[in-house]
Amino acid sequence: MDVMRIRGGTPLKGVVKTQGAKNAALPVMASCLLLKGRTLTLENVPDLHDVSTMLDLLACLGVTMERLGNRMTFSVPEEISWEAPEHLVRKMRASSLALGPLLARCGKTVLPLPGGCSIGSRPIDLHLKGLMQMGAKIEIRNGIVYAQADQLRGRRIYLDFPSVGATENLMMAAALAKGETIIENTAREPEIENLASVLRGMGVTVDTEGTGCVRIKGVEEVQGCRERVIPDRIEASTYVLAGVITGGEVTVDDIVPAHMDALLAKLEEAGVRFHVGSSSVTVFPVRRLMPVSIRAMPYPGFPTDLQPQMVATLTLANGVSLVEESVFQARFLYSEELNRMGANITIKGDTAIIQGVERLQGASVRAMDLRAGAALILAALAAEGETRIDEMVHVWRGYEASDKKLKALGADVALEEAEEK
């Protein structure tokens, strides 16, 4: 179902439960490649296209999986393949997460450069640089990474940028490296701690310190373990904003409120009333938001993955909001689609200038990436009339059963197949 139709204008009301985090599930799934003749069991794994792609990749490498609801058990044989299939790697950027564990486990790997994203250049230079510092020999020929290392060795690595993927890849590689690895200027996202918890369960000593520095003492062999994927803070925040933009009362349950501090701080600044429970947040109706200024940046700053949804919400604010993007240079491409719905957004360099309007109008729009699709859904929920959103396949990469969750909150939502061209 590649098309979503939404008839907007209805304040949403009710409770929605948060899925497991996509950005936590993918690296911890990849970490099973460190195992040899053992199993990894994960709870709370979301049912998403990207998860299915990772499952296909792991299966091609020799991993078998049993699934019961949102619980997955990965069984890894003594011998696995070290060559990743190009047709799967090209589909999803997170396929690069296989690089570190495969190299550490097998001593070599062949991995095509990953694809799957349209929000600008997202190179894996930092991944490769860190692995080479640990002793790997790496060549790139015709878009394919050839890596070899008989034994990775722990050492001090400084990341030029706190890349989430590079941090995760190097953490997994360090788990089987000889000696201690110290990674500085690491990403600090909650998903990093989720991976650290899995590695600890495998018997690896991991100290994340909470200050952008990770220390890992490698082991000769890891053990099987069981872990739970953390709640998805981006999905949870999207449903919070769905309540805000429609003037509704929505409770998002099964969350870690501290993971959403940056959003809640900006909502408070914009005049939104909300209540934070031990594992939930409820937003209450607000007539019109006050404008705010935001800079999307690495955690604990405002998440770049939430920037498009926040911009969509601010299109209806009473005044001019400024949103700066410091992570992905092409992340504002969706603004043209919002403007088709009556928004007034001007892009100057890395900043969106949002002149709030009184209302949005339904239109035919296109989701060009995952978070852009979520932004268009939010705008459609608030818009007058019907909105048709094409290329919903991007949204299914990160939002589990979003049509059903929105309907449960009272939204008028329907899915249909795209017409053949």
Side-chain angles (χ1 to χ4, degrees):
M1 294 295 183
D2 201 31
V3 176
M4 178 179 280
R5 291 185 180 273
I6 299 176
R7 185 166 291 278
T10 301
L12 301 188
K13 186 176 179 63
V15 180
V16 62
K17 185 177 179 182
T18 307
Q19 69 188 35
K22 174 182 87 81
N23 291 337
L26 298 176
V28 297
M29 290 169 68
S31 74
C32 78
L33 294 169
L34 295 167
L35 299 169
K36 185 178 291 188
R38 299 178 185 272
T39 62
L40 169 66
T41 298
L42 297 177
E43 308 276 356
N44 201 34
V45 182
D47 185 9
L48 303 169
H49 279 194
D50 277 8
V51 168
S52 296
T53 301
M54 182 63 80
L55 288 174
D56 290 342
L57 174 60
L58 294 174
C60 285
L61 296 172
V63 178
T64 59
M65 188 274 294
E66 293 183 6
R67 183 170 194 161
L68 180 61
N70 290 112
R71 178 195 303 157
M72 293 183 179
T73 298
F74 301 87
S75 299
V76 188
E78 292 283 339
E79 299 295 330
I80 58 174
S81 173
W82 42 266
E83 192 166 358
E86 182 172 0
H87 72 283
L88 291 174
V89 175
R90 299 290 191 202
K91 288 175 64 176
M92 182 181 68
R93 176 176 164 74
S95 301
S96 63
L97 293 169
L99 181 61
L102 278 179
L103 182 58
R105 161 84 144 78
C106 302
K108 56 185 174 180
T109 185
V110 175
L111 186 92
L113 290 172
C117 195
S118 65
I119 57 174
S121 175
R122 303 176 73 177
I124 63 169
D125 297 7
L126 296 179
H127 308 229
L128 303 181
K129 180 181 176 182
L131 292 171
M132 287 190 288
Q133 287 179 268
M134 297 174 72
K137 297 178 181 178
I138 295 177
E139 293 183 31
I140 300 178
R141 300 195 301 270
N142 299 319
I144 298 176
V145 177
Y146 296 84
Q148 187 271 331
D150 293 333
Q151 173 68 70
L152 293 174
R153 296 186 176 275
R155 61 164 301 165
R156 183 181 296 271
I157 299 170
Y158 179 85
L159 297 178
D160 294 330
F161 179 84
S163 161
V164 174
T167 299
E168 292 165 340
N169 239 329
L170 295 176
M171 287 173 64
M172 288 185 280
L176 292 178
K178 186 176 182 62
E180 182 180 59
T181 300
I182 301 172
I183 314 170
E184 297 178 309
N185 195 34
T186 62
R188 297 165 60 187
E189 276 75 359
E191 293 79 10
I192 298 295
E193 184 55 44
N194 205 179
L195 175 60
S197 182
V198 171
L199 295 179
R200 292 186 192 105
M202 290 180 174
V204 182
T205 300
V206 183
D207 183 2
T208 50
E209 297 183 359
T211 59
C213 179
V214 176
R215 295 173 179 267
I216 298 178
K217 292 182 179 179
V219 296
E220 290 188 4
E221 189 171 303
V222 295
Q223 62 193 29
C225 69
R226 177 186 295 263
E227 187 59 58
R228 180 176 176 84
V229 175
I230 61 173
D232 195 314
R233 60 196 170 95
I234 305 301
E235 190 223 22
S237 298
T238 301
Y239 286 109
V240 165
L241 291 176
V244 172
I245 198 170
T246 62
E249 183 177 325
V250 171
T251 297
V252 183
D253 201 5
D254 196 14
I255 66 168
V256 180
H259 293 173
M260 298 167 62
D261 280 348
L263 170 66
L264 296 177
K266 285 300 173 182
L267 290 182
E268 184 174 28
E269 186 179 333
V272 177
R273 294 186 305 113
F274 55 84
H275 170 74
V276 179
S278 60
S279 61
S280 68
V281 61
T282 301
V283 290
F284 301 103
V286 58
R287 195 183 73 82
R288 200 167 182 194
L289 296 180
M290 293 184 290
V292 296
S293 294
I294 293 171
R295 185 171 191 260
M297 56 193 300
Y299 190 88
F302 194 92
T304 181
D305 278 352
L306 196 58
Q307 178 256 96
Q309 301 92 305
M310 193 65 181
V311 168
T313 306
L314 291 172
T315 61
L316 295 174
N318 185 22
V320 179
S321 298
L322 300 177
V323 176
E324 180 185 355
E325 175 58 53
S326 70
V327 182
F328 298 127
Q329 65 270 47
R331 186 131 237 181
F332 287 127
L333 292 176
Y334 65 88
S335 63
E336 296 180 8
E337 301 298 293
L338 289 176
N339 284 344
R340 289 169 58 85
M341 301 178 67
N344 186 351
I345 305 171
T346 303
I347 307 301
K348 289 190 176 180
D350 57 6
T351 301
I353 304 166
I354 308 140
Q355 173 66 63
V357 298
E358 291 192 4
R359 62 184 63 84
L360 298 173
Q361 295 288 338
S364 291
V365 292
R366 179 172 65 93
M368 31 193 98
D369 63 67
L370 168 56
R371 306 306 176 185
L376 294 174
I377 289 173
L378 293 181
L381 291 169
E384 295 179 352
E386 183 177 271
T387 299
R388 172 193 168 104
I389 305 174
D390 281 286
E391 299 187 30
M392 283 290 295
V393 63
H394 294 295
V395 176
W396 306 139
R397 288 182 49 222
Y399 290 86
E400 181 180 72
S402 60
D403 58 315
K404 296 181 176 63
K405 290 185 177 184
L406 290 171
K407 286 179 181 178
L409 295 174
D412 186 347
V413 177
L415 297 180
E416 61 185 52
E417 294 182 5
E419 297 177 4
E420 292 188 13
K421 298 181 180 180

